[in-house]
Amino acid sequence: MRNSAKLMVVVAAALTLGACANSEQASTQPPGSNQQPSIAPAGPNTGVPGPGSVTALPEQPAGPECTVDQIEVTGEVGKQPEIKLPDGCAAPTKLLTKDLEPGEGTAATAGSAVEANYLLLTWSNKQVADNSYEKGKPLALTLGAQQVIPGWEQGLEGIYQGGRRLIVVPPDLAYGKQLGHPLQKETLAFVVDAVKVAPGTN
């Protein structure tokens, strides 16, 4: 009986440790790892506020939509740019891209490993929402793997290493479907520097 009681205690202890280990392992997984990304392209370390802090957007001008050529970008490739968004025109409702520096090598396609620096402005108030240049580390992603918002997936297609691209992303290709996200109704303006583009395996 004593041996039987000792065995039961050992088994109970083992089960308890196993449960703790499983609990600790689960807690190390990134939030929402089985869901679509809900944060801007920098991932969980972005400076963009999380869900639950939605605020009303400033009143936007009516009339013709702004064009990509009306956006002014200054600064050298590889260094933090300055973006000046236009006044007096409506926010674009379609994805817009413009190559500011062509780059060279192999164009990014689905499956390409891309490392990119970027500066993000929100269209409604022309404020910086995220900035990888300040973090000192480019964002690494696999194009087409749904690691970033759809507007980035589409907007980065065809970019070359060393290239700089302006990307304007409307809400439906950003966070328009993520109820409660602070950028749900925002049009986003990115300047992206492709630090590295490695050919895909597809």
Side-chain angles (χ1 to χ4, degrees):
M1 289 294 289
R2 287 182 180 178
N3 290 338
S4 177
K6 287 181 180 180
L7 180 61
M8 291 179 64
V9 170
V10 171
V11 171
L15 290 173
T16 302
L17 288 174
C20 290
N22 291 336
S23 175
E24 289 172 2
Q25 184 176 7
S27 67
T28 61
Q29 298 299 317
S33 58
N34 296 323
Q35 302 173 357
Q36 285 287 94
S38 60
I39 306 296
N45 295 323
T46 181
V48 176
S53 55
V54 179
T55 56
L57 300 182
E59 186 175 343
Q60 299 299 303
E65 293 183 9
C66 300
T67 67
V68 71
D69 290 326
Q70 291 175 280
I71 302 171
E72 297 180 20
V73 180
T74 56
E76 298 179 20
V77 175
K79 297 182 179 180
Q80 180 175 319
E82 291 187 9
I83 309 172
K84 184 178 179 182
L85 300 178
D87 294 311
C89 51
T93 57
K94 295 182 179 179
L95 181 71
L96 303 177
T97 64
K98 180 180 180 180
D99 283 322
L100 306 174
E101 182 69 33
E104 57 186 13
T106 303
T109 58
S112 293
V114 178
E115 293 182 15
N117 272 316
Y118 62 91
L119 182 69
L120 162 63
L121 262 64
T122 48
W123 194 278
S124 66
N125 57 12
K126 300 178 172 60
Q127 297 296 310
V128 174
D130 201 6
N131 182 359
S132 75
Y133 297 91
E134 287 186 348
K135 298 173 185 176
K137 184 179 180 180
L139 170 69
L141 68 140
T142 300
L143 199 63
Q146 299 183 346
Q147 297 169 334
V148 292
I149 56 175
W152 248 54
E153 293 273 23
Q154 298 175 29
L156 285 178
E157 288 181 5
I159 198 169
Y160 292 88
Q161 183 169 309
R164 169 169 282 190
R165 181 172 290 181
L166 171 63
I167 306 174
V168 181
V169 183
D172 63 318
L173 292 176
Y175 304 105
K177 297 179 181 179
Q178 297 186 19
L179 299 179
H181 196 284
L183 301 181
Q184 182 185 352
K185 298 180 180 180
E186 275 285 2
T187 299
L188 308 177
F190 293 91
V191 170
V192 181
D193 285 340
V195 178
K196 182 178 179 180
V197 177
T201 56
N202 293 349

